[in-house]
Amino acid sequence: MNIKKAILFSLLVVAGTTAFAQTSNLRKAKAGLQKFQELQGAGSAELGKNSLESAKEAIDQAITHDKTKDNAETWTIYALVNANLATLEKSAEAVQAAEEGIKKATELDSDEKNKENIAVAGQLLGQFNFGQGADAFNSQKYDEAYAAFDQALRYLPGDTTLLYYSGLAAIQKQDYPNAIKRYEELIPQKEFSQHKSVMVDLPKLYLSAKDTTNALEYAAKAAAEYPEDNDASVQNIELNLMTGNEDKIINDIENQIAKDADNKALHYYLGIAYSASNNNDKAIEAYKKAVEIDPNYVEANKNASATIINGVRDQLNALNEDKTLSNNDYSKRVEELKVQIKEALPYLEKVVELDPNDIDALRSLKGYYDFQQDEAKSAETQAKIEALQQ
């Protein structure tokens, strides 16, 4: 939101509009406004306050004078003076006067000679309302914030910052239709700094509004727009799995892999899809492929180890619940599981190697050593955990 250039341009337009005779009050108002703008441009708006107040006094008389009351320029200056006062003094009365001036000037400006300065007055009101909305948002007054941002957008349509904060305010007050509306307006604005967040959050808003169809549609769009973003891709996978589209999403990922076999992320996402559909063997295979492409891929190493360990845990739980097993058979099966779980160790060790401060990975590693009854390794790992907790 940058109105400085527009304001300075308005100064040039105002200063150059002297081709016709003017009454005293209109001249005084323009001179006072010009002086204020000069000081404002120099960073001394407060020093120019007296000039602005003099301009206000003069223009208030000009709008009632027979020679100037029906003049578009009179009402334009009236709008500019009051818009600046609103910004300077945070005056609701000045805001109302500026709005009246903009409306009247627009009606009278048939030849559009004042169009640019009318727009500047609107920009000033937009800035004022944005400030009001930001204050309300920071005070967690989200209804007030949304109303102020909405008002600001009347004068600054399409402003990306305003659209974004308007959407955030709507989310906070659980007004999902308006939040969706604002976020959708930001989709074409790909240069906006929060564009990725908007794309990734939009499907969640549709879910909150109980619109699964659009949630799926926009989740796919987010994943396509940001294919390397984990949150976007995982969300797309999870939504499809939630809605019973397991075959579709797995097929989509496999088709992408066929075109880009060395893309580690695609194999990782395939693993997530298979894990979510309870096909652990396929999931482990996919995670292993991702690690094969990039041995330092933390997430793939972590998910590979977790999937293997969880599979062994489920089998152990089933053994513990099986009362028909003899002690010998139970011990034999546990020893088999100890061999099976060894497959997870290199992946788990890699996670800890890449991030020695990952306390969850260390706890999983300790659990592994406990299951293997390796007391020395278990104690060593526990010491690392305790050191991180200090």
Side-chain angles (χ1 to χ4, degrees):
M1 187 183 303
N2 183 357
I3 68 169
K4 185 175 181 181
K5 289 184 179 178
I7 293 171
L8 293 177
F9 182 72
S10 85
L11 169 65
L12 296 177
V13 175
V14 170
T17 323
T18 58
F20 56 89
Q22 303 169 347
T23 66
S24 176
N25 283 320
L26 182 54
R27 286 198 305 271
K28 287 179 182 178
K30 292 174 69 172
L33 178 60
Q34 181 175 343
K35 183 64 176 177
F36 168 76
Q37 289 179 323
E38 288 172 352
L39 289 168
Q40 183 187 46
S44 303
E46 279 296 329
L47 292 178
K49 186 176 180 180
N50 287 339
S51 296
L52 192 59
E53 289 174 344
S54 295
K56 166 69 172 169
E57 184 179 346
I59 202 63
D60 281 349
Q61 295 181 54
I63 63 169
T64 61
H65 196 283
D66 287 341
K67 291 186 178 180
T68 50
K69 68 179 183 179
D70 295 321
N71 186 330
E73 187 181 27
T74 301
W75 287 97
T76 301
I77 301 302
Y78 181 80
L80 283 167
V81 168
N82 281 287
N84 276 290
L85 279 170
T87 302
L88 197 62
E89 299 179 346
K90 299 188 182 302
S91 164
E93 183 180 349
V95 169
Q96 187 175 354
E99 290 175 344
E100 179 189 0
I102 290 172
K103 180 181 179 182
K104 190 72 173 178
T106 303
E107 291 172 355
L108 293 171
D109 194 37
S110 56
D111 55 7
E112 297 190 342
K113 288 182 179 180
N114 297 278
K115 182 178 180 180
E116 290 165 344
N117 280 337
I118 294 170
V120 170
Q123 288 172 353
L124 285 166
L125 288 184
Q127 184 187 49
F128 171 81
N129 280 287
F130 176 78
Q132 295 291 97
D135 289 343
F137 190 94
N138 291 333
S139 299
Q140 300 183 0
K141 298 175 181 177
Y142 300 116
D143 285 331
E144 292 180 22
Y146 182 80
F149 292 142
D150 191 54
Q151 184 73 0
L153 282 166
R154 287 179 52 198
Y155 300 106
L156 298 168
D159 185 284
T160 52
T161 303
L162 267 173
L163 287 170
Y164 183 59
Y165 278 101
S166 179
L168 289 179
I171 291 170
Q172 292 296 329
K173 67 194 194 81
Q174 299 183 351
D175 181 359
Y176 299 118
N178 276 317
I180 288 167
K181 176 184 176 183
R182 296 305 188 209
Y183 273 31
E184 284 188 342
E185 290 180 70
L186 285 166
I187 290 176
Q189 308 298 330
K190 295 183 180 181
E191 300 303 315
F192 178 52
S193 61
Q194 298 298 319
H195 187 262
K196 182 166 71 174
S197 295
V198 168
M199 291 291 293
V200 174
D201 288 345
L202 190 50
K204 299 181 181 71
L205 295 179
Y206 271 115
L207 279 181
S208 297
K210 304 187 186 305
D211 186 345
T212 305
T213 300
N214 274 311
L216 282 168
E217 178 184 344
Y218 282 93
K221 288 180 179 179
E225 187 74 29
Y226 295 100
E228 298 301 320
D229 184 78
N230 185 67
D231 290 341
S233 296
V234 170
Q235 175 178 247
N236 187 41
I237 292 167
E238 289 178 344
L239 279 176
N240 276 279
L241 293 172
M242 283 169 52
T243 53
N245 293 333
E246 294 93 343
D247 293 340
K248 176 185 180 301
I249 195 64
I250 289 172
N251 186 61
D252 286 348
I253 298 171
E254 288 180 335
N255 286 339
Q256 288 179 273
I257 289 174
K259 300 173 187 176
D260 188 7
D262 293 329
N263 188 323
K264 66 179 182 180
L266 289 175
H267 293 282
Y268 171 69
Y269 297 142
L270 182 61
I272 291 174
Y274 274 126
S275 290
S277 60
N278 296 316
N279 190 334
N280 284 349
D281 290 341
K282 287 281 191 179
I284 292 167
E285 181 183 338
Y287 293 137
K288 284 182 176 180
K289 182 62 180 178
V291 172
E292 180 184 322
I293 295 170
D294 180 5
N296 294 329
Y297 195 170
V298 176
E299 291 82 2
N301 277 287
K302 186 176 292 188
N303 280 21
S305 63
T307 306
I308 294 166
I309 290 171
N310 289 341
V312 170
R313 180 201 60 200
D314 291 343
Q315 293 179 66
L316 181 62
N317 288 339
L319 282 181
N320 291 332
E321 293 174 3
D322 188 350
K323 306 304 181 184
T324 66
L325 289 175
S326 67
N327 288 338
N328 285 338
D329 285 341
Y330 177 82
S331 297
K332 180 181 178 182
R333 295 286 297 276
V334 169
E335 290 303 314
E336 291 172 353
L337 291 179
K338 287 182 178 181
V339 173
Q340 184 178 331
I341 203 173
K342 286 181 179 180
E343 185 183 15
L345 184 59
Y347 300 105
L348 197 50
E349 289 179 327
K350 190 65 174 180
V351 174
V352 174
E353 175 192 330
L354 294 170
D355 185 2
N357 296 324
D358 188 334
I359 199 165
D360 290 331
L362 285 168
R363 285 171 176 155
S364 293
L365 187 59
K366 182 183 183 301
Y368 170 86
Y369 288 131
D370 288 342
F371 183 60
Q372 296 289 12
Q373 297 178 304
D374 187 335
E375 294 181 4
K377 286 287 189 181
S378 177
E380 178 185 331
T381 307
Q382 179 61 30
K384 292 178 180 178
I385 293 171
E386 291 174 355
L388 288 175
Q389 290 176 326
Q390 291 179 355

